[in-house]
Amino acid sequence: MTDSPAEGPYAQGRQWPRESAHALTRFCFCLPALLLPLVCLPILSESTCFKNLYSGLVYGASAVFFEVKDGNGTACIMANFSADFLTSYNTQSGSKNSTFKLPPGAEALDSSSCGKENASNPSLIIAFGNGHTLTLNFTRNTTRYSVQMMRFVYNLSDTQIFPNASSQGPKTAESIPDIMADINKKYRCVSSNQIHMNNVTVTFIDATIQAYLSNDSFSKEETHCIQDESSPTMSPPTPPHPSPSPVPESPSVHKYNVSGTNGTCLLANMGLQLNVTYKKKDDKTVTRVFNINPDNTKVGGSCTTQQVTLELQSEASTFLAFQFGKNASSSRFFLKEIQLNMTLPDAKVPTFQASNSSLRALQATMGNSYKCNAEEHIWVTEAFSVNIFKVWVQAFQVEGDKFGSVEECQLDENNMLIPIAVGGALAGLVLIVLIAYLIGRKRSHAGYQTI
């Protein structure tokens, strides 16, 4: 892709138009095998459609290839991955989940950029479907590069993906993913890598990404993700379809503190609700919702320089732990792990256990606090998720046992736009009515002038 706005949306260096690329692809596959390398590979190698076909054969059928080029036609970003999206949204009958995949027709937009030295950073902006975009913004230091921010904009007006949504238009979710690699090496992650962003979970699968390219191809050297080093490949979470169960009232909001030898390391105000899916003794799958009652819960935890843990033990044999980590390069803290151990007397397997150590939720700058009045839904595993109500949390740098400057969640910022837009519309309407009244009154007086 070129940075020049004068070129078409499929222009990338010597890029062929899409219709011509498809026609050439059909022509070349009809040639004898001996003529194929001589006649067609120089042409097809410039076709994005061919690159996606090739990458699909090499990396997997659902992988999609993306490329960003500068004004000289030199590639600065290359990426090849498949992705699954899990989004929670509201309908008139309650909250629903939608799952969908990154389609093969997804494209890198012209607004993607190689960046400018000391002015802007490289970015890959991927568009697909009816108004959905996934953006990866890159940054680097002397030794490593990373995705500084990942932003997913999804359009609730897309009725195929979000049927019966109670609101319309675009929604935005952001997160700082754990995607980084050494300079002049490609980021490689065969395992599923889940990125949690408020009500959205994006799962990258079999990903190869490289920014700040030194030539027009992926480096042979690679930096592997943590998931490849520590755990086997996991499939992305799929929302279960069990029998519904009665939903209890919203949980009580309670203040939780964790202190260590150097003072308080965690302040948290929040209400907690657990969604657990399991098989009963009669093999019927059900989902039950449990509120954490602060009055019947013992609070514990621990503080270290690298992680902060909040532990909740209830009388009903439920152990729930939240572990916070921090990103030294971005100076931000985040919820990185949730663990649950509980006993379900009517379950086929009474002991229920679930954990996920690759979360990226409740993020804020060190010394600040994260606050969200809207309900947040965090998927932990396929069978377990947590609803967090009116959360206000700060980890690590807590001064004077008080919350620092507030960083509001994207959900609250989006909700604030609604009354502002309504107020602006009403003000405009009042102004129009007033102007119409004054004009009408002036014309009325003009009709009765003395002769």
Side-chain angles (χ1 to χ4, degrees), residues 7 11 20 43 52-53 68 85 123 144-145 161 235 266 359 411 419:
E7 299 188 51
S20 301
I43 300 174
N52 280 336
L53 174 64
V68 179
F85 298 85
S123 62
R144 309 198 87 184
Y145 68 91
I161 294 180
S235 59
L266 178 71
L359 303 176
L411 290 173

Side-chain angles (χ1 to χ4, degrees), residues 53-331:
L53 174 64
Y54 174 78
S55 63
L57 294 173
V58 175
Y59 294 102
S62 59
V64 187
F65 175 81
F66 305 101
E67 187 176 41
V68 179
K69 293 185 177 183
D70 61 18
N72 298 322
T74 303
C76 62
I77 302 174
M78 295 178 70
N80 193 92
F81 55 79
S82 58
D84 291 344
F85 298 85
L86 172 62
T87 305
S88 176
Y89 68 102
N90 293 323
T91 68
Q92 296 296 335
S93 58
S95 178
K96 288 189 176 181
N97 297 310
S98 175
T99 57
F100 49 97
K101 295 180 179 294
L102 184 70
E107 298 171 337
L109 294 180
D110 275 342
S111 49
S112 300
S113 171
C114 291
K116 295 182 179 179
E117 193 69 29
N118 300 322
S120 62
N121 292 324
S123 62
L124 168 62
I125 305 176
I126 300 167
F128 63 94
N130 184 11
H132 314 295
T133 60
L134 179 66
T135 302
L136 303 179
N137 291 324
F138 294 87
T139 187
R140 68 176 175 181
N141 54 30
T142 56
T143 59
R144 309 198 87 184
Y145 68 91
S146 64
V147 176
Q148 183 182 33
M149 178 65 69
M150 187 173 83
R151 181 181 298 109
F152 178 51
V153 179
Y154 55 102
N155 183 15
L156 290 178
S157 301
D158 187 344
T159 55
Q160 290 187 343
I161 294 180
F162 303 105
N164 304 317
S166 57
S167 61
Q168 301 294 308
K171 298 289 183 181
T172 302
E174 294 181 340
S175 179
I176 300 177
D178 191 16
I179 298 178
M180 60 182 64
D182 296 332
I183 293 292
N184 295 327
K185 291 185 180 181
K186 62 188 176 186
Y187 167 86
R188 189 76 177 100
C189 195
V190 179
S191 304
S192 298
N193 183 12
Q194 296 179 359
I195 311 299
H196 298 270
M197 304 182 290
N198 297 328
N199 291 342
V200 177
T201 298
V202 181
T203 303
F204 290 102
I205 306 166
D206 199 10
T208 305
I209 302 172
Q210 187 169 356
Y212 305 98
L213 288 165
S214 57
N215 50 49
D216 280 346
S217 63
F218 282 121
S219 172
K220 293 182 179 180
E221 296 184 275
E222 55 190 32
T223 300
H224 279 275
C225 62
I226 298 175
Q227 290 80 1
D228 281 356
E229 297 173 356
S230 60
S231 62
T233 302
M234 296 174 58
S235 59
T238 303
H241 300 280
S243 301
S245 61
V247 178
E249 297 180 355
S250 297
S252 302
V253 177
H254 186 71
K255 185 175 183 179
Y256 302 97
N257 290 13
V258 177
S259 299
T261 56
N262 296 323
T264 302
C265 65
L266 178 71
L267 291 178
N269 289 358
M270 56 187 174
L272 298 171
Q273 191 175 76
L274 313 181
N275 307 288
V276 180
T277 301
Y278 63 96
K279 279 191 175 183
K280 298 176 67 176
K281 294 178 181 178
D282 59 1
D283 283 335
K284 183 179 180 181
T285 300
V286 297
T287 293
R288 291 182 61 189
V289 182
F290 303 88
N291 286 343
I292 297 296
N293 185 352
D295 297 331
N296 300 326
T297 301
K298 295 181 180 180
V299 181
S302 61
C303 306
T304 69
T305 56
Q306 296 300 319
Q307 66 183 35
V308 171
T309 304
L310 170 65
E311 297 178 348
L312 306 177
Q313 179 73 55
S314 73
E315 296 178 355
S317 301
T318 299
F319 174 79
L320 180 65
F322 295 84
Q323 190 175 100
F324 291 82
K326 60 183 179 180
N327 188 321
S329 60
S330 62
S331 297

